[in-house]
């Protein structure tokens, strides 16, 4: 499954600089509001040292990591729902993403103007959430108008949906996020097609000064400037630079780990002479579902899975020795996948 994350923020918070650094995709990151007029999409390979080790043991010709897609949109301002700035029409570009990253300014630079005249991450967060709420309220009100007519004609689904939409409308009007209004899984399923922005998990990133990346915070502290520097270096040079800065990982690594944790995702692997590949699935997925991520036919005709932990696979030097030691297990349809499983699926054609 492809992981897609939308990036939002006020103008001049370093959002596009961070996007450029994360994706190595050139975007206009000029120092003035609304420079990002069209949505930018960048696909980034998810770094995973386990995959490289598996490929080395298997002598794989190809290494295929899983990927994360970042969608960068124009900066929001207070009143976007009323048409201020560029309005909120660009929010439509992130309605199909899995999560939203809010980039909040926490760096000090007199040469970069703040749209509100002061650096206040909590205030910025409130402004962004309010604009997302107003965008969702518009979607809910539009659906309510259409649904009311159907409900009056005794349409069963419309009658079931009506009280949920009314609950959403009332909650959004009270400035609540949809994810806090609708908590029942069945109700979530009924409004899923609305793709409400505030129903998505939120990840908050503080764009800090270079010497503040160590600060303790409930948010992810990232220096877009450091990330921009890292993006210009080779892998070895980047690792050396991180060591000099006394950082154990890059901002990208932190953000990806947080995204996986927030979305409850895990990774499993397939590894052989042709390719070593990482696959992303929801935590709690069973073996047939994991097989289906590779190909729908694998899930339909699933027979069993040969499974081994990635560390055991590497320590044994590959499949042959692992089988001799009895470390490869045969698992059936009820097996719940674990992060780091290396699998070979058997299926009927």
């Amino acid at each position: 499954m492809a992981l897609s994350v939308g990036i939002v923020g006020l103008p001049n918070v370093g959002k596009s600089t961070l996007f450029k650094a994360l994706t190595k995709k050139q975007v206009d990151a000029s120092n003035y509001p609304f420079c990002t007029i069209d949505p930018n999409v960048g696909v980034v390979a998810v770094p995973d040292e386990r995959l490289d080790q598996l490929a080395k043991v298997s002598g794989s010709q190809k290494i295929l990591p899983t990927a994360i897609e970042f969608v960068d949109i124009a900066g929001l301002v207070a009143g976007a729902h009323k048409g201020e700035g560029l309005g909120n029409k660009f929010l439509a570009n992130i309605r199909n993403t899995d999560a939203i990253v809010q980039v909040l300014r926490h760096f000090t630079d007199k040469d970069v103007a703040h749209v509100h005249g002061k650096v206040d991450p909590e205030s910025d967060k409130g402004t962004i959430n309010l604009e997302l709420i107003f965008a969702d309220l518009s979607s809910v009100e539009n659906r309510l108008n259409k649904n009311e007519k159907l409900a009056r004609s005794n349409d069963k689904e419309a009658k079931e949906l009506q009280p949920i939409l009314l609950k959403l409308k009332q909650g959004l009007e009270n400035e609540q996020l949809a994810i806090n209004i609708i908590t029942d899984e069945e109700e979530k399923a009924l409004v899923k097609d609305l793709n409400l922005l505030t129903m998505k998990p939120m990840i908050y990133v503080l764009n800090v000064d270079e010497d503040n990346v160590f600060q303790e915070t409930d948010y992810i502290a990232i220096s877009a400037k450091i990330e921009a520097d890292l993006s210009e270096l080779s892998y070895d040079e980047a690792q050396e630079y991180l060591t000099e800065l006394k950082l154990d990982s890059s901002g990208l690594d932190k953000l990806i780990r947080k995204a996986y944790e927030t979305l409850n995702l895990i990774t499993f692997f397939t590894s052989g002479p042709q390719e070593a590949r990482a696959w992303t699935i929801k935590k709690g997925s069973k073996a047939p579902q994991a097989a289906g991520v590779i190909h729908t036919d694998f899930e339909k005709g699933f027979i069993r899975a040969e499974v081994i932990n990635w560390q055991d696979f590497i320590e044994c030097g590959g499949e042959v020795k692992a089988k001799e030691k009895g470390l490869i297990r045969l698992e059936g349809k009820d097996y719940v996948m674990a992060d780091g499983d290396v699998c070979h699926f058997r299926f009927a054609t």
Side-chain angles (χ1 to χ4, degrees):
M1 60 186 292
L3 175 61
S4 181
V5 174
I7 303 179
V8 300
L10 300 182
N12 291 351
V13 298
K15 181 172 60 67
S16 292
T17 301
L18 180 63
F19 174 83
K20 176 182 174 181
L22 295 180
T23 63
K24 297 186 182 179
K25 184 181 177 70
Q26 297 298 313
V27 294
D28 186 359
S30 303
N31 175 28
Y32 58 90
F34 320 124
C35 65
T36 316
I37 296 177
D38 296 315
N40 292 280
V41 179
V43 179
V44 179
V46 175
D48 196 322
E49 292 181 357
R50 298 174 298 180
L51 183 62
D52 296 328
Q53 293 179 54
L54 289 169
K56 187 175 180 179
V57 168
S58 297
S60 307
Q61 294 177 22
K62 294 181 182 178
I63 300 177
L64 299 173
T66 188
I68 183 170
E69 178 184 85
F70 290 101
V71 182
D72 179 43
I73 66 167
L76 292 175
V77 294
H81 65 286
K82 299 176 184 175
E84 296 292 332
L86 292 172
N88 63 15
K89 63 181 180 179
F90 295 94
L91 291 174
N93 295 308
I94 59 171
R95 285 204 177 274
N96 291 320
T97 58
D98 300 297
I100 292 176
V101 169
Q102 290 190 26
V103 181
L104 308 172
R105 176 172 173 174
H106 199 266
F107 65 89
T108 54
D109 188 336
K110 294 178 181 179
D111 295 327
V112 180
H114 190 287
V115 70
H116 291 158
K118 62 176 181 177
V119 176
D120 187 342
E122 287 300 318
S123 175
D124 293 354
K125 174 184 171 183
T127 298
I128 295 168
N129 280 339
L130 201 54
E131 294 309 319
L132 298 178
I133 285 169
F134 280 126
D136 282 348
L137 183 57
S138 176
S139 298
V140 170
E141 288 176 338
N142 288 337
R143 176 60 64 85
L144 257 173
N145 291 334
K146 296 175 183 177
N147 198 71
E148 280 175 348
K149 296 176 183 178
L150 292 171
R152 286 195 212 105
S153 64
N154 285 323
D155 182 282
K156 183 180 179 182
E157 289 184 9
K159 289 174 76 173
E160 188 178 3
L161 181 60
Q162 191 69 3
I164 302 171
L165 291 173
L166 288 170
K167 181 165 64 172
L168 267 172
K169 181 176 182 294
Q170 182 179 7
L172 291 167
E173 287 175 339
N174 288 324
E175 300 183 6
Q176 291 179 271
L177 302 179
I179 198 169
N180 297 326
I181 301 168
I182 304 298
T183 56
D184 180 81
E185 293 302 322
E186 290 184 8
E187 291 186 352
K188 283 182 182 179
L190 289 172
V191 296
K192 185 178 179 181
D193 66 323
L194 282 170
N195 284 325
L196 298 177
L197 296 166
T198 63
M199 187 68 82
K200 301 180 188 301
M202 299 283 179
I203 301 170
Y204 298 98
V205 169
L206 284 182
N207 184 9
V208 301
D209 294 311
E210 291 105 301
D211 57 352
N212 277 336
V213 288
F214 310 97
Q215 66 183 9
E216 292 295 325
T217 172
D218 292 334
Y219 302 156
I220 303 176
I222 292 177
S223 166
K225 174 65 170 62
I226 289 177
E227 296 305 312
D229 291 341
L230 286 169
S231 71
E232 302 299 325
L233 302 176
S234 68
Y235 175 81
D236 290 338
E237 289 172 333
Q239 294 306 305
E240 186 177 333
Y241 184 36
L242 287 171
T243 300
E244 288 176 10
L245 294 172
K246 298 181 180 179
L247 295 174
D248 56 3
S249 63
S250 70
L252 172 60
D253 290 345
K254 288 191 213 174
L255 186 52
I256 289 175
R257 283 198 299 269
K258 186 64 176 178
Y260 269 62
E261 176 189 322
T262 302
L263 292 169
N264 211 21
L265 301 175
I266 62 172
T267 301
F268 77 92
F269 305 97
T270 51
S271 186
Q274 291 187 334
E275 67 177 36
R277 186 161 183 169
W279 306 86
T280 302
I281 55 174
K282 281 280 186 183
K283 188 176 181 180
S285 296
K286 294 186 177 179
Q289 294 172 289
V293 171
I294 299 175
H295 198 289
T296 52
D297 287 347
F298 287 17
E299 182 173 7
K300 292 175 184 176
F302 179 88
I303 298 174
R304 67 179 182 273
E306 297 179 3
V307 183
I308 180 174
N309 175 269
W310 72 276
Q311 287 176 308
D312 290 337
F313 186 93
I314 290 168
E315 287 173 5
C316 290
E319 187 176 346
V320 175
K321 286 287 185 183
K323 281 186 175 179
E324 289 177 4
K325 292 186 175 183
L327 293 173
I328 295 181
R329 312 182 310 273
L330 293 180
E331 302 288 0
K333 293 181 179 180
D334 293 328
Y335 175 67
V336 177
M337 298 289 292
D339 185 61
D341 278 345
V342 181
C343 302
H344 182 70
F345 296 104
R346 301 290 183 184
F347 66 101
T349 56

